[in-house]
Amino acid sequence: MIPKTDSLTATIRVDEAKQKQLINLYQEDEVEKPSAYVLFMAKRKGCSITLYEKVDKDGKRKAVFQGPDCGKEAAIFGEEIQYASPLKRPPMVPYRFFEQVGSDEVGTGDFFGPIVVCAAYCDRKMYALIQEYGIDDSKKLDDEAIKRIIPKILPYADYSCLTLDNAKYNDVQEKGMNMNQIKAKLHNRALLNISKRHENAKACQDQFAEEKLYYSYLKDEPEVQRDIFFLTKGESHFPSVALASCIARYHFLEKMEEMGKEYKTSFPLGAGEAVDAFAQRFVKKHGAEQMKKVAKLNFKNAARLQ
Ligand code: MN
């Protein structure tokens, strides 16, 4: 028997910040509340959303999504989803569209090369373009595909790409800033740069730190992007994050090529054994001083060099 997906429901529990996000996201589709037990209700194609009035002991409220799209709607909030349905396993959760600005970074796991953070805007037109080019996850595209596809998309994209080169990275790292703090500051700046131009876009991020921790890294920033939808593997949930991820990767590869030309070599990616071997040859040829300009010196690879 084929289960009726219309009767599928997905339930999540949301704290106050997420309640705000939820109401904000579905405001356009708001309908009259059916009872006093309901705080907010919305109906859109493929899904109805009900946020209940009752607050549990953790200060959270229950949000119930009902209809064939309930899985992907509920997934936006990054909470554990409970399904009640004739279906035994949860449905696939492909991303669904809303106007958005998403951010992602690249280079944080590579001993050589900069950190690049990108925020990109995605409206319906861009979403269609992304689908046409199959950019739904930068990890699925190899470097050659990134280099071929991204230049075709860049002229139509509204994005902000911030590059922290190795000299600067080593500088701020020596001053005591950790990787997460560095990432948070770059994500925040990139998101602000783009969301300022798109009042109705929601901010999304490939999550690398707990929400509270993320905002604590930004406590001294003059301006902070709020109301972000945080999700790990964000590139599989938000088209804007997928796009940002690809653009960041493209710029990172360009920068690596530039660096390679300067030293007449080709820098390896990652932080494994091949990278250690390469680093040794590099130091022999160019001297340890040059490492500051091409590598992240707080990585274990640097310690292994001595
Ligand atoms: Mn990421």
Side-chain angles (χ1 to χ4, degrees):
M1 200 186 87
I2 300 162
K4 272 217 300 240
T5 49
D6 283 0
S7 58
L8 182 67
T9 67
T11 302
I12 56 173
R13 300 199 160 267
V14 283
D15 63 16
E16 219 171 296
K18 294 238 163 108
Q19 291 165 28
K20 235 179 79 193
Q21 279 186 345
L22 184 143
I23 291 170
N24 181 290
L25 186 63
Y26 298 112
Q27 212 152 39
E28 290 165 26
D29 305 311
E30 185 173 4
V31 295
E32 210 179 307
K33 292 180 276 189
S35 81
Y37 298 111
V38 172
L39 179 67
F40 171 86
M41 191 171 186
K43 281 196 169 129
R44 40 184 302 139
K45 207 174 150 250
C47 188
S48 72
I49 301 99
T50 310
L51 180 65
Y52 285 91
E53 185 72 59
K54 195 181 163 203
V55 179
D56 68 16
K57 59 179 185 338
D58 303 321
K60 292 182 173 181
R61 285 192 162 100
K62 191 164 83 173
V64 177
F65 300 75
Q66 188 157 28
D69 286 346
C70 68
K72 54 183 159 178
E73 297 293 336
I76 292 165
F77 301 91
E79 297 294 329
E80 200 185 313
I81 304 173
Q82 287 189 327
Y83 291 95
S85 76
L87 288 178
K88 284 283 182 288
R89 61 187 165 80
M92 286 275 293
V93 184
Y95 49 59
R96 73 107 164 141
F97 178 78
F98 53 89
E99 191 188 348
Q100 54 188 264
V101 174
S103 61
D104 199 3
E105 82 283 329
V106 67
T108 53
D110 300 290
F111 180 49
F112 288 108
I115 289 170
V116 180
V117 172
C118 180
Y121 173 67
C122 187
D123 58 5
R124 279 208 180 274
K125 256 163 105 183
M126 184 48 78
Y127 185 36
L129 197 64
I130 284 171
Q131 288 176 311
E132 202 180 305
Y133 281 102
I135 301 176
D136 52 345
D137 187 340
S138 73
K139 287 179 199 91
K140 281 192 229 150
L141 297 181
D142 64 18
D143 292 347
E144 288 316 307
I146 294 269
K147 281 192 246 178
R148 198 177 61 243
I149 294 168
I150 295 304
K152 291 182 192 160
I153 287 173
L154 285 186
Y156 308 102
D158 188 14
Y159 66 97
S160 168
C161 223
L162 306 175
T163 303
L164 185 69
D165 65 31
N166 292 101
K168 266 193 224 127
Y169 172 87
N170 291 320
D171 217 41
V172 291
Q173 197 278 321
E174 253 171 55
K175 285 181 185 140
M177 223 188 266
N178 70 36
M179 184 65 99
N180 270 357
Q181 273 171 299
I182 293 171
K183 281 202 263 190
K185 281 176 198 285
L186 292 170
H187 273 261
N188 182 53
R189 189 34 46 209
L191 281 170
L192 284 170
N193 286 347
I194 300 305
S195 61
K196 273 186 186 156
R197 293 206 279 265
H198 305 280
E199 231 178 75
N200 296 318
K202 325 277 184 211
C204 306
Q205 185 182 91
D206 183 28
Q207 183 169 31
F208 58 88
E210 279 296 310
E211 190 167 338
K212 263 201 188 132
L213 196 58
Y214 172 81
Y215 284 119
S216 78
Y217 294 137
L218 300 173
K219 63 181 191 306
D220 297 327
E221 291 295 300
E223 217 180 339
V224 174
Q225 172 74 52
R226 298 279 168 193
D227 296 328
I228 300 172
F229 289 96
F230 295 95
L231 275 187
T232 55
K233 301 204 179 78
E235 68 277 0
S236 327
H237 295 280
F238 305 124
S240 57
V241 173
L243 177 62
S245 163
C246 291
I247 296 176
R249 177 123 220 121
Y250 176 74
H251 282 276
F252 177 79
L253 293 171
E254 288 239 293
K255 181 75 190 172
M256 290 299 266
E257 239 164 66
E258 233 172 74
M259 270 169 49
K261 269 188 197 142
E262 201 183 326
Y263 292 95
K264 297 192 173 55
T265 183
S266 168
F267 287 95
L269 302 181
E273 273 171 38
V275 167
D276 282 344
F278 178 93
Q280 241 160 26
R281 292 197 302 274
F282 183 88
V283 168
K284 228 181 222 169
K285 199 161 174 192
H286 301 284
E289 257 313 281
Q290 292 298 311
M291 285 295 278
K292 268 191 231 161
K293 289 178 5 194
V294 297
K296 303 179 186 80
L297 296 184
N298 66 322
F299 275 40
K300 291 203 179 81
N301 304 73
R304 285 198 290 268
L305 261 178
Q306 271 114 50

